[in-house]
Amino acid sequence: MNLYEYEAKEMFANFGIPVPPSTRISNAAEIKIKLSAAIKEAKLDFPVTLKCQVLSGGRGKAGGIKFAKDMCEAEAIADQLLKLKINDLPTQSLLVEPKLAIAQELYLAITLDRNQGCAIFIASAEGGIEIESSHNVVTSRIPYPYHSYVARDLAFALDLKGNALVKVADIANKLYQLFVSRDLDLAEINPLIITKSGEVVALDGKIIVNDDALDRQPYFKGWLEKHLDGLTSREQKSKLTGLNLVELKGNIGIICNGAGLVMGTMDMVKDFGGEPANFLDVGGGASRDKTLAALEIVHDNPDVKVILLNILGGITACDEIAHALTEFIKKYPKRQMVVRLQGNNQDLAEQILSNSGIKLFSDLEEAVQEAVSRSH
Amino acid sequence: MILVNKNTKVIVQGATGKMGATHTKLMLNYGTKIVAGVTPGKGGENVHGVPIYDTVKAAVEKTGADASVIFVPPYLAYDAASEALAAGIKLLVLITEGMPPLDTAKLVQEVKEHKAQLIGPNCPGIITPEQCLIGILPGSLFKAGPVGMVSKSGTLTYEIALALTKSNLGQSTCVGTGGDPIKGLDYQEVLALFEKDPETKAIVLIGEIGGSAEEEAAEFIKQNIKKPVVAFIAGQTAPPGKRMGHAGAIVSAGKGTAQSKIEALNSAGVKVAKTPKQVAICLSEILSPVSH
């Protein structure tokens, strides 16, 4: 789950990482009220930065960050930015912060490294740019159990000195605490700035929460449905019902059990001259209800001419799938279907479907060929 | 054969749950030596005739088990696996899907410290056909023979095993390493074991998009593997930036594409088949002097 910048910064602040003072507005009318109040409380002052809150990268390049020197300018910019779409995703709100005097920009992040099988620090003495384009990237393996000296080593490797070294190491420690306490896939501060007065502040933040850990993180309860921007409506629905759907442009709806098998089946469809309409993995041990939900979601896509259901039952019982199919066909008798069922309880499934009019394929290539020819 | 054989003594952690019980029965039917189950609080009961113990330590003391298959829910998996390591189990097969990666990272480190081996998480398990099945693979699709298989995907492994078995190409051992980005055994360790195993005459490597394990395996094959390898790579039609079911199956920033993996494997002299059936055809050609 990707978080908005303001959410990431709230989490930074909760873990003691300095962030700029701010106020957030979700419509243009709010700017005058909230900004005046913040100025009155001496929290903020002009010039201010207005930043689009959007679940997409490339915000700066797309014009999603602007500066205002007075209220009149702030109002005009707010009105314009709230309407801005970045990579087709809507701006959810604006974060308003003071424009800080920057002496140096750094990059600091923690992520999981699949090759090393552990969390790593990624840092650079160049911040505010895409890390892929930085030439002085420092990475370091984070040991378990954790030790704070790792963060000091990291700050030292960035050529920091004195106060800056101590402060950056402290922030790296806190970022790690945040990373493990909240089960994150990524915690990124870019840029982490050193101001002209020597403060170290997280100027922008990005957090990705691990989806598998959401159920043990009460902090994120109810967040998922508000963080599904960028998915189609059917992909959103699938995600909330525990199905894995990725939609494509073709007309053959593909449902299998197991991610590798779905990908393999998609590739074969393409190779045999067809176009996959989607990837849908019902997962291992899919029940009748889950299978039915999967069939309905793919059926719901108006581009789908034929559904190719390919089940190779290991943990999945073919009879569960057969029951779902019977129900589905009763509901949608005109739906074009190609079904391949093989494995665990295959004989039971064959009995259940013997009067359904569905031809069962046992050979995968034959099933794919049939689906492709029906799609043209 | 590698890692498991007819003498491997297996305990089932989570044997009293729905999934654990179902697969305990299937593994017993296959002929696997399931010597005990473990569920805290259910010691003294039995599942399909298998005695249940409260702790792994108690189960190991009574039975001398050397492997454990774990079916517990994702947030309990790390603790269950650690318990097995502490009790001296040297082979863990972790079936559980949805284990948070930070837990897996801790576990991987503990496995190393105990000089043990971990298969998974989020994997179908391992089978040495006609001897020992640990996990959820459908045993009927496999038969004994000269082909070693290593794969990130469960059902794709079954698909290819089915194609091999139909072509009368049996398997020495098949290892499903799992679809998570952080995991135990990976291609290189399994490839090295197959290279040393006298019964394995050829190897099938099944991969998918995401990460760079296939590219590294290709480099490893170039340097270390003399036996013929045939590969199948899934996900050529996957759009970039989208996670394709498995937590690890994602092309990001142009890295981890099927194309890059296929090229790397080809350059290591590995044939990459386009369909499961083609895997069998390639292997038949390679092994024909041996198996016909």
Side-chain angles (χ1 to χ4, degrees), chain B residues 46-280:
Chain B
N46 80 78
V47 169
H48 304 296
V50 173
I52 303 297
Y53 296 85
D54 289 310
T55 67
V56 179
K57 195 171 172 220
V60 171
E61 276 167 7
K62 284 281 178 197
T63 64
D66 34 35
S68 174
V69 56
I70 300 171
F71 286 102
V72 307
Y75 299 161
L76 305 177
Y78 166 65
D79 184 54
S82 289
E83 183 188 356
L85 288 172
I89 295 281
K90 291 298 176 204
L91 178 66
L92 302 179
V93 181
L94 217 173
I95 305 300
T96 306
E97 178 178 358
M99 186 169 169
L102 279 165
D103 286 3
T104 316
K106 284 192 279 184
L107 177 61
V108 164
Q109 184 158 336
E110 286 175 30
V111 166
K112 272 186 205 145
E113 284 159 12
H114 281 88
K115 298 193 166 47
Q117 273 161 326
L118 168 69
I119 301 176
N122 188 15
C123 81
I126 175 169
I127 182 170
T128 292
E130 296 162 35
Q131 295 202 34
C132 180
L133 183 173
I134 306 180
I136 59 173
L137 307 109
S140 63
L141 304 181
F142 297 82
K143 68 174 246 163
V147 182
M149 283 173 71
V150 57
S151 169
K152 274 182 183 174
S153 151
T155 40
L156 202 48
T157 308
Y158 314 160
E159 193 69 61
I160 291 172
L162 177 70
L164 296 187
T165 299
K166 272 189 183 165
S167 310
N168 204 27
L169 289 161
Q171 303 92 39
S172 55
T173 299
C174 304
V175 187
T177 59
D180 278 5
I182 296 184
K183 59 181 161 191
L185 288 185
D186 214 333
Y187 294 123
Q188 296 173 37
E189 288 112 322
V190 181
L191 287 168
L193 291 171
F194 279 138
E195 180 70 13
K196 273 192 280 178
D197 172 41
E199 282 153 67
T200 302
K201 307 293 180 209
I203 302 166
V204 174
L205 182 150
I206 304 167
E208 64 188 26
I209 55 161
S212 57
E214 290 81 359
E215 287 87 337
E216 280 147 33
E219 194 51 42
F220 184 79
I221 289 167
K222 222 185 257 179
Q223 310 287 339
N224 303 290
I225 305 293
K226 295 199 176 63
K227 292 180 182 174
V229 183
V230 175
F232 181 89
I233 301 293
Q236 300 185 55
T237 45
K242 301 278 186 180
R243 211 170 280 284
M244 306 303 275
H246 283 156
I250 182 166
V251 172
S252 48
K255 295 209 174 106
T257 63
Q259 204 48 44
S260 140
K261 293 166 192 304
I262 291 169
E263 280 165 17
L265 287 161
N266 280 333
S267 84
V270 174
K271 267 199 177 170
V272 182
K274 278 197 163 173
T275 68
K277 226 182 244 175
Q278 263 192 29
V279 175

Side-chain angles (χ1 to χ4, degrees), chain A residues 75-246:
Chain A
E75 282 181 301
I77 289 171
D79 191 48
Q80 176 214 337
L81 285 187
L82 280 163
K83 292 178 193 144
L84 189 67
K85 280 192 168 181
I86 296 173
N87 291 329
D88 273 342
L89 301 184
T91 294
Q92 184 249 17
S93 56
L94 297 182
L95 191 64
V96 188
E97 295 177 342
K99 190 179 178 198
L100 300 174
I102 299 171
Q104 191 183 352
E105 294 186 86
L106 310 167
Y107 175 98
L108 178 64
I110 300 175
T111 190
L112 286 162
D113 183 85
R114 53 196 293 167
N115 292 331
Q116 300 187 63
C118 65
I120 56 166
F121 277 121
I122 305 174
S124 169
E126 304 169 305
I129 54 166
E130 282 183 23
I131 191 66
E132 290 85 359
S133 55
S134 169
H135 297 296
N136 330 304
V137 178
V138 178
T139 61
S140 86
R141 199 187 150 88
I142 301 178
Y144 172 79
Y146 185 72
H147 295 283
S148 311
Y149 69 78
V150 182
R152 292 195 298 277
D153 282 348
L154 184 78
F156 184 77
L158 293 176
D159 276 336
L160 297 168
K161 305 254 180 319
N163 225 352
L165 180 139
V166 173
K167 282 182 175 170
V168 168
D170 180 54
I171 288 172
N173 276 327
K174 287 169 172 161
L175 195 65
Y176 177 74
Q177 293 313 324
L178 167 65
F179 187 83
V180 289
S181 325
R182 293 278 182 257
D183 271 310
L184 306 184
D185 280 343
L186 174 72
E188 179 188 78
I189 307 176
N190 185 26
L192 176 67
I193 61 161
I194 304 173
T195 65
K196 290 196 169 143
S197 55
E199 299 306 308
V200 183
V201 181
L203 195 58
D204 194 359
K206 182 175 177 183
I207 282 178
I208 303 175
V209 188
N210 183 260
D211 287 339
D212 284 330
L214 283 175
D215 288 337
R216 71 174 183 188
Q217 289 292 347
Y219 185 86
F220 302 115
K221 196 165 182 231
W223 284 37
L224 188 60
E225 44 263 65
K226 295 185 204 113
H227 292 80
L228 296 175
D229 288 15
L231 299 181
T232 69
S233 61
R234 283 181 295 271
E235 286 171 345
Q236 296 194 1
K237 197 175 157 195
S238 300
K239 192 148 190 183
L240 296 172
T241 51
L243 292 165
N244 262 307
L245 174 72
V246 176

Side-chain angles (χ1 to χ4, degrees), chain A residues 36-100:
Chain A
S36 313
I39 290 168
K40 216 169 168 188
E41 291 166 31
K43 212 168 111 180
L44 278 178
D45 206 354
F46 289 109
V48 294
T49 315
L50 293 99
K51 299 156 99 179
C52 289
Q53 299 299 292
V54 62
L55 293 178
S56 163
R59 176 180 62 175
K61 277 183 203 149
I65 301 174
K66 293 220 145 76
F67 304 102
K69 59 181 184 307
D70 55 32
M71 190 61 80
C72 180
E73 203 177 17
E75 282 181 301
I77 289 171
D79 191 48
Q80 176 214 337
L81 285 187
L82 280 163
K83 292 178 193 144
L84 189 67
K85 280 192 168 181
I86 296 173
N87 291 329
D88 273 342
L89 301 184
T91 294
Q92 184 249 17
S93 56
L94 297 182
L95 191 64
V96 188
E97 295 177 342
K99 190 179 178 198
L100 300 174

